[in-house]
Amino acid sequence: MTDKHDAIQQEDVQKSESHHVEHTTHGLVAEVSPEKADPAFRQFGDERIEVTEEDNKRILRRTDLFILPLLAWVYWLQILDKTILGYAATFGLKADAHLIQYSTIGSLNAIAQLAWQPFSSYLLVRVKPRHLMPVIVSCWGIACCGIAASTNFGGLAASRFLLGLFEAACLPLFSILTAVWYRRAEQPLRVAIWYGTNGLGTIMASVFAYGFGSITNPAIHHYQILFLFCGLLTVLTGPFIYWRLDNSVSEARFLTPEDRHKGVERLRANNTGTAATNTYKWYQVKEALLEIQTYVFFGMTLLLNVGASVTTVFGPLVLQGLGYDRYRTSLLNMPFGALQILIVWAASYCTYHFRNKSITICVFIVPVIAGLAMLWALPRDNQGLLLFAYYLLAFLFGANPLIISWLSANTAGSTKRSISISGFNGAAAAGNIIGPLLYTDDDAPLYHKGLKATLIIFIALFVCVILQTVNFVILNRLKERERVKNGKPAKIHDASMDKKYTQQAEEKMDDSKLESSTTGAHLGGNAFLDLTDRENDEFVYVY
């Protein structure tokens, strides 16, 4: 029944595409090859439709109901499958598998993600999410089961590498899906929901480690039970994703044909399109690789994830170094996970309420710097104060989703967006490689050298956030000059950042400047042409 419904929908889409492409001839719109434009443009053309606040709430509510739980569940599985390595180490992984290269095992997941990013960025543009996500989820679940079947360094290394390879597209894909389903004002809270499962993953990994660690069976090690359970749970999720996920608003099976059109219209002000996939455009690759903002975001992400990898891989070991046994270590990480969830939500709410990402990130970096300074400087006989300092590191999890949404909101063009977000994930992977290497076995259990290095890194991150903010202020001023040159108002209202939905005005521009314009004959006419943020003179950078 579902396949028949999809076939009928696809036929309607094709008819709609041929009709609208033939009759749409505004300015640059006429020069855009239909197959290279956004699917929403091919389906609806540049036809405007009225969207009321009631329509907006209804479409948003159904999108949250059908898309958001799926993203949250799958991202939780990814975090769970990665996080349990640290708990497995506290329950005998090193001894049972005769490991002396634990740091290497911890880094292999990130090495695979970093190596696979160029291929991942291509797949994100060319393969529809409904096909890509079930495949990669099922494959990383199988790799997790492979870890359970491994009893030596070689088997663990190979399985851990494959786990990272198949997880490589997860975060970029989720970031893209959030960008193409939601208005820019809505994105931080939605990213917070699925990224906030970081904390839930930490809590449940603690619960599973404690529970499975209590099982005594000479035929199977504790870590094998843990990885087998998580791997099988992930594999079973793959077919469910294919059944539930839709590729874009214009193809949403849970919306009526009219609401699909209204759903596209409500995203017009984003100026970032409505589709995750399109033609792979090499000029957009070049543009992404030549921009300052790409490398500043890369630097911010790299620095931040050096710290995040410390809490993921070495968090339980650090707590053991403070004098707690393995059972109490698992339990003490549960409030740390709960704190992560609260902080991610608090950071995203502050961004939504104050509509400023850069200041929020800076504010949440300060407690991390304080916590690292305390862990580095305080003597080890005050366990209560040291545990408080360790919990302060949870504030770093408030910054990561904000950087994700900040990057997505400021990048347009399907290929450019995939390159930029894959670069984000590559930087996160590089940070996860560097982080464990800073905390060497000969520095245990105090890890003074690693803590000092991480402290310096977070101070550098604070500086990078300031630099990116200045960069976007300058770019917005350049856009204002470009709009004036093209006969448009210097200042335009960015409706995508309004808390309450307001329809973008269809304001005509000066006809004498039309030939020099990079867009159509009215504001909003280029929203679905798959232009980059640099090409689109109406794009407004947010900070």
Side-chain angles (χ1 to χ4, degrees), residues 58-138:
R58 181 181 65 256
I59 295 168
L60 177 60
R61 185 166 55 248
R62 290 191 65 79
T63 302
D64 283 341
L65 179 64
F66 281 85
I67 299 298
L68 204 53
L70 192 61
L71 297 182
W73 170 257
V74 176
Y75 198 77
W76 174 75
L77 286 175
Q78 187 218 13
I79 295 302
L80 181 66
D81 292 348
K82 284 197 304 186
T83 305
I84 54 176
L85 178 66
Y87 296 94
T90 66
F91 280 87
L93 173 64
K94 289 183 177 182
D96 294 338
H98 309 291
L99 275 184
I100 58 174
Q101 307 105 320
Y102 176 72
S103 293
T104 304
I105 293 291
S107 298
L108 279 173
N109 181 283
I111 291 171
Q113 289 197 26
L114 182 60
W116 191 248
Q117 284 312 309
F119 305 99
S120 176
S121 66
Y122 182 80
L123 292 175
L124 289 169
V125 178
R126 298 299 298 151
V127 182
K128 291 184 179 296
R130 193 184 179 199
H131 299 136
L132 180 60
M133 193 189 295
V135 172
I136 61 175
V137 170
S138 297

Side-chain angles (χ1 to χ4, degrees), residues 319-360:
L319 288 177
Q320 273 192 325
L322 296 180
Y324 299 108
D325 63 30
R326 63 184 185 177
Y327 292 100
R328 187 167 293 183
T329 293
S330 294
L331 294 177
L332 285 174
N333 252 307
M334 293 176 66
F336 184 76
L339 190 58
Q340 287 181 40
I341 298 173
L342 293 174
I343 287 170
V344 166
W345 273 91
S348 297
Y349 177 78
C350 289
T351 300
Y352 171 76
H353 183 73
F354 297 108
R355 295 193 291 180
N356 192 301
K357 294 178 174 64
S358 56
I359 293 177
T360 305

Side-chain angles (χ1 to χ4, degrees), residues 380-402:
R380 290 302 184 258
D381 57 357
N382 192 335
Q383 290 188 348
L385 195 56
L386 289 171
L387 186 62
F388 170 75
Y390 173 68
Y391 284 164
L392 284 178
L393 301 187
F395 278 85
L396 68 87
F397 292 98
N400 237 338
L402 297 189

Side-chain angles (χ1 to χ4, degrees), residues 1-242:
M1 187 71 182
T2 301
D3 292 339
K4 183 178 179 182
H5 176 82
D6 291 346
I8 293 172
Q9 180 183 327
Q10 184 63 30
E11 183 179 351
D12 291 342
V13 169
Q14 290 173 350
K15 289 179 181 178
S16 180
E17 287 176 2
S18 61
H19 171 78
H20 286 291
V21 170
E22 180 181 352
H23 291 86
T24 305
T25 55
H26 293 297
L28 183 63
V29 175
E31 301 172 11
V32 173
S33 176
E35 64 272 11
K36 293 184 179 181
D38 192 292
F41 170 70
R42 299 200 299 269
Q43 186 171 348
F44 302 114
D46 202 32
E47 179 184 345
R48 307 291 180 101
I49 184 173
E50 182 181 359
V51 180
T52 65
E53 177 61 14
E54 183 180 349
D55 293 331
N56 175 67
K57 289 181 178 179
R58 181 181 65 256
I59 295 168
L60 177 60
R61 185 166 55 248
R62 290 191 65 79
T63 302
D64 283 341
L65 179 64
F66 281 85
I67 299 298
L68 204 53
L70 192 61
L71 297 182
W73 170 257
V74 176
Y75 198 77
W76 174 75
L77 286 175
Q78 187 218 13
I79 295 302
L80 181 66
D81 292 348
K82 284 197 304 186
T83 305
I84 54 176
L85 178 66
Y87 296 94
T90 66
F91 280 87
L93 173 64
K94 289 183 177 182
D96 294 338
H98 309 291
L99 275 184
I100 58 174
Q101 307 105 320
Y102 176 72
S103 293
T104 304
I105 293 291
S107 298
L108 279 173
N109 181 283
I111 291 171
Q113 289 197 26
L114 182 60
W116 191 248
Q117 284 312 309
F119 305 99
S120 176
S121 66
Y122 182 80
L123 292 175
L124 289 169
V125 178
R126 298 299 298 151
V127 182
K128 291 184 179 296
R130 193 184 179 199
H131 299 136
L132 180 60
M133 193 189 295
V135 172
I136 61 175
V137 170
S138 297
C139 287
W140 94 52
I142 293 171
C144 194
C145 292
I147 297 177
S150 304
T151 56
N152 55 47
F153 174 78
L156 287 169
S159 299
R160 181 76 173 171
F161 184 87
L162 289 173
L163 180 67
L165 188 147
F166 292 118
E167 287 180 344
C170 180
L171 190 145
L173 178 58
F174 282 32
S175 303
I176 291 170
L177 286 172
T178 306
V180 300
W181 282 95
Y182 293 99
R183 295 170 55 240
R184 292 205 291 184
E186 300 160 354
Q187 290 170 18
L189 287 177
R190 272 67 192 181
V191 171
I193 289 173
W194 57 259
Y195 190 87
T197 58
N198 256 303
L200 186 60
T202 300
I203 294 171
M204 296 310 299
S206 300
V207 172
F208 294 151
Y210 187 84
F212 293 132
S214 303
I215 298 174
T216 302
N217 189 328
I220 187 169
H221 298 302
H222 293 143
Y223 78 87
Q224 291 177 311
I225 301 174
L226 191 57
F227 279 109
L228 186 62
F229 171 80
C230 295
L232 290 176
L233 186 62
T234 304
V235 171
L236 292 174
T237 299
F240 180 78
I241 295 171
Y242 181 78

